[in-house]
Amino acid sequence: MGYLTTAEVAERYRTAESTVRYWRQTGKGPRGIKIGKRVLYAEAELLRYEQNLAQGRDEWGLAV
């Protein structure tokens, strides 16, 4: 399983790193895990998040 940094997630979603950090602080977007001082995002978590959005669900899998 691979992990991405905040910068890599921002690049993947074509947004700013500050936006990814905001998503994490508000509980929206893919869930990150903090390891030491770094926040990393599992590729599987990004796929789960993307699938929920593609199916018309919010970031937690609930229908919107």
Side-chain angles (χ1 to χ4, degrees):
M1 176 187 325
Y3 290 90
L4 283 76
T5 64
T6 301
E8 292 167 330
V9 172
E11 184 177 327
R12 180 177 179 140
Y13 295 127
R14 297 180 183 175
T15 192
E17 289 181 49
S18 60
T19 299
V20 176
R21 286 191 293 273
Y22 175 76
W23 290 344
R24 189 170 63 83
Q25 289 174 349
T26 60
K28 297 186 178 206
R31 296 178 192 129
I33 57 170
K34 194 162 186 177
I35 300 176
K37 294 182 178 183
R38 298 179 75 184
V39 176
L40 298 175
Y41 297 84
E43 288 184 45
E45 171 59 18
L46 298 177
L47 292 174
R48 181 204 61 81
Y49 171 70
E50 292 164 3
Q51 288 171 349
N52 282 339
L53 293 178
Q55 294 172 357
R57 299 180 182 158
D58 68 8
E59 47 279 342
W60 297 283
L62 304 172
V64 289

